[in-house]
Amino acid sequence: MNNKFIVANFKSYKTQIEAEEWLNEIKNFQVPQGKEVIVCPPFTLLSFFKEFIGKNNLSIKLGSQDISPFQEGAYTGEVSGRQIKEFADYVLIGHSERRLNFNEKDEMLDKKVKEALKNNLVPIFLVQGQENIIPEGVKIIAYEPIFAIGSGTPDSPENADTVSGFFKEKNNLEVLYGGSVNSQNVNLFTSKNNISGVLVGGSSLDAREFIEIINHA
Ligand code: PGA
């Protein structure tokens, strides 16, 4: 059986002190066999996470929440794939918050995926529904309907399974579900045939709740 993915998306939350508290709460927790835990903190915390994970020998992988569509160069404010690869193995691309607030369109997302792949980063490509285009080379996607994000109202596990099945069949992808996942509902999603894991925003910010999510996934 393939690993189940449990991905934490911290968004623009946590300072270093807050991250350290979170890590201290999780450091004695053993990730169960068959589960792949990936944490995506803000760029400012990637280095700190990497050092802490190394020192404490934690089985947590790191991801970034974004990537520059360009190679290194004169792109003020951007973080390139080569820079991210020093710290992380995964990268989130195409989150609806970026599509909406930063006007990221298919063409740009395609460039970001190319930069990720060039630098041996695994893109986790986010889609909001069946209409989304998946760039070439993507192997893992996360289905996150907009109404479900941060709302406390997740999609129904049945519908999430149907959408995941659509992408699995069409593009041969691993599909995660995201949107108001917590320790109480996670298993309703991960027990579905077509769902390979979850992407967790708000509920990942509390380390104890995140541990429960991992345990119940
Ligand atoms: P949420 O966010 O778990 O807070 O709904 C999920 C996401 O946006 O990745």
Side-chain angles (χ1 to χ4, degrees):
M1 203 186 87
N2 289 340
N3 274 359
K4 262 183 204 156
F5 294 91
I6 300 107
V7 185
N9 173 13
F10 278 9
K11 308 193 181 189
S12 291
Y13 292 103
K14 293 204 189 290
T15 61
Q16 185 170 318
I17 288 177
E18 290 160 356
E20 191 171 8
E21 284 165 6
W22 190 93
L23 281 162
N24 276 325
E25 285 193 72
I26 216 167
K27 76 175 178 199
N28 295 321
F29 171 71
Q30 292 285 330
V31 173
Q33 283 269 320
K35 295 183 182 177
E36 173 99 335
V37 176
I38 302 163
V39 179
C40 305
F43 284 127
T44 49
L45 294 174
L46 278 173
S47 161
F48 180 69
F49 262 79
K50 186 182 175 190
E51 203 182 310
F52 193 102
I53 286 169
K55 258 196 216 145
N56 294 279
N57 211 8
L58 308 185
S59 30
I60 291 178
K61 297 270 168 62
L62 286 174
S64 68
Q65 296 174 22
D66 190 24
I67 180 172
S68 173
F70 303 108
Q71 282 187 30
E72 65 183 1
Y75 302 106
T76 302
E78 287 296 279
V79 183
S80 73
R82 195 164 157 250
Q83 291 169 324
I84 295 167
K85 186 61 196 178
E86 286 192 295
F87 306 103
D89 293 313
Y90 293 86
V91 52
L92 304 181
I93 298 175
H95 196 290
S96 59
E97 288 158 9
R98 296 209 59 84
R99 293 181 196 247
L100 291 171
N101 297 315
F102 304 98
N103 207 26
E104 294 192 357
K105 300 271 189 272
D106 292 337
E107 197 188 333
M108 173 174 287
L109 298 176
D110 198 66
K111 285 187 183 161
K112 291 187 174 203
V113 167
K114 286 198 169 72
E115 283 305 309
L117 295 172
K118 247 194 257 169
N119 290 286
N120 286 322
L121 291 159
V122 178
I124 299 175
F125 192 79
L126 286 92
V127 301
Q128 292 73 48
Q130 294 182 356
E131 66 286 0
N132 286 118
I133 296 166
I134 317 278
E136 219 182 296
V138 167
K139 297 206 163 61
I140 307 174
I141 65 168
Y143 161 59
E144 293 202 335
I146 290 176
F147 72 83
I149 296 177
S151 65
T153 309
D155 198 352
S156 71
E158 292 69 32
N159 190 55
D161 191 46
T162 303
V163 175
S164 302
F166 167 83
F167 281 114
K168 206 173 156 184
E169 201 164 298
K170 186 168 159 230
N171 309 73
N172 195 23
L173 300 164
E174 300 266 14
V175 188
L176 319 184
Y177 168 75
S180 296
V181 171
N182 58 38
S183 60
Q184 303 302 305
N185 64 23
V186 62
N187 184 257
L188 301 175
F189 294 98
T190 52
S191 60
K192 293 287 179 206
N193 275 344
N194 297 314
I195 299 178
S196 304
V198 285
L199 177 47
V200 190
S203 298
S204 71
L205 296 170
D206 178 332
R208 269 166 297 182
E209 169 69 357
F210 190 55
I211 288 171
E212 287 308 305
I213 290 171
I214 298 168
N215 279 331
H216 287 99

